[in-house]
Amino acid sequence: MTSIERPVKVPEVTLTFWIIKVAATTLGETGGDAVTMSMNLGYLVGTAIFAAVFIAAVAAQICARRFHPFLYWTTIIASTTVGTTLADFADRSLGIGYAGGTSLLLTLLAGSLFLWYRSLGSVAVESVGSPKSEAFYWVTIMFSQTLGTALGDWTADSAGLGYGDGALVFGALLALIAGAYFWTAISRTVLFWAAFILTRPLGAVVGDFLDKPLSAGGLALSRYAASAVLLMFIVTCVLVFTQRSARRAH
């Protein structure tokens, strides 16, 4: 490493990465709902709480001198919980609906990626090695997590697929992306962001399936219990499976 280089503080993209990512996005749904619904704090207060945690985690991530798995996944979980409450606030409290929220967030996500690419010339994970690229990375992730919540709710509720069929749809789309990764020459960066975005609505519908009432097609599990189990699973994965930082792009 030269004196002007900074370490890449995001993990190498492996199967372990995707397993933890899906668990984290599911936790974001159950954890966000636990605060806004079970605790009756509402979407605005819930968003304010999780936004503060997310900002603090991002600041710690940017200030860190190297890749720390627990810090990274804490920031991911913070992004997905604030994404859940923010999407619910926009869709329900502001009254713009799932379609309106999905369209707005898709525009914000595309704008974030466009500005990132125009500013630094790459949106690849391997290029995230400076405070500016890290800021773009986490803003983009936050928008993708929020979009995923709205898209998952739209698919399960407005489109009438329900939680089980919604999970099958997003799971099938992720399988197609995996196939494209192994058998096509499509840009790995494009495939990464497509998969990253789609894991969020998958987590959203799975999370809703776990904690929504039986009358709504869910299992009616405790949001607190479901969140605790998911959190323990994530912690176990981080402890058991070694994660290395992504290799720097040259």
Side-chain angles (χ1 to χ4, degrees):
M1 182 186 304
T2 66
S3 59
I4 63 172
E5 286 184 327
R6 288 171 57 91
V8 176
K9 292 177 289 183
V10 298
E12 186 178 24
V13 180
T14 62
L15 179 59
T16 298
F17 173 90
W18 292 116
I19 291 172
I20 300 176
K21 172 62 166 59
V22 172
T25 58
T26 308
L27 172 58
E29 190 71 20
T30 58
D33 288 349
V35 171
T36 59
M37 297 179 186
S38 297
M39 293 183 182
N40 294 315
L41 294 181
Y43 301 125
L44 183 58
V45 173
T47 298
I49 292 172
F50 289 124
V53 174
F54 175 64
I55 291 170
V58 169
Q61 177 75 18
I62 291 175
C63 291
R65 294 181 178 274
R66 60 183 179 85
F67 170 60
H68 297 280
F70 276 109
L71 175 57
Y72 176 84
W73 288 110
T74 295
T75 312
I76 288 289
I77 293 170
S79 73
T80 194
T81 47
V82 73
T84 295
T85 57
L86 182 58
D88 288 343
F89 176 72
D91 297 341
R92 300 167 187 174
S93 298
L94 296 183
I96 63 177
Y98 295 134
T102 299
S103 299
L104 173 62
L105 290 162
L106 182 59
T107 300
L108 291 172
L109 175 61
S112 177
L113 286 168
F114 175 76
L115 290 175
W116 182 2
Y117 185 81
R118 285 294 301 270
S119 296
L120 298 175
S122 174
V123 296
V125 170
E126 297 82 3
S127 69
V128 181
S130 68
K132 187 174 183 179
S133 62
E134 284 190 88
F136 273 119
Y137 177 83
W138 288 111
V139 168
T140 301
I141 282 179
M142 192 271 290
F143 283 145
S144 76
Q145 306 282 38
T146 310
L147 168 65
T149 300
L151 184 58
D153 289 343
W154 185 20
T155 302
D157 297 334
S158 299
L161 291 181
Y163 306 125
D165 288 344
L168 289 176
V169 167
F170 292 119
L173 290 173
L174 285 167
L176 288 175
I177 292 174
Y181 177 86
F182 288 110
W183 297 309
T184 74
I186 296 174
S187 166
R188 297 303 186 249
T189 299
V190 171
L191 292 176
F192 169 81
W193 285 110
F196 196 97
I197 292 165
L198 285 173
T199 53
R200 183 61 188 99
L202 175 62
V205 294
V206 171
D208 283 338
F209 175 69
L210 293 175
D211 65 28
K212 287 297 188 280
L214 295 174
S215 60
L219 295 179
L221 300 178
S222 163
R223 295 186 178 106
Y224 303 119
S227 298
V229 170
L230 287 164
L231 182 58
M232 286 189 292
F233 175 78
I234 292 170
V235 170
T236 300
C237 286
V238 174
L239 288 173
V240 172
F241 299 105
T242 301
Q243 295 181 75
R244 299 177 299 182
S245 62
R247 296 182 179 179
R248 176 179 295 278
H250 291 286

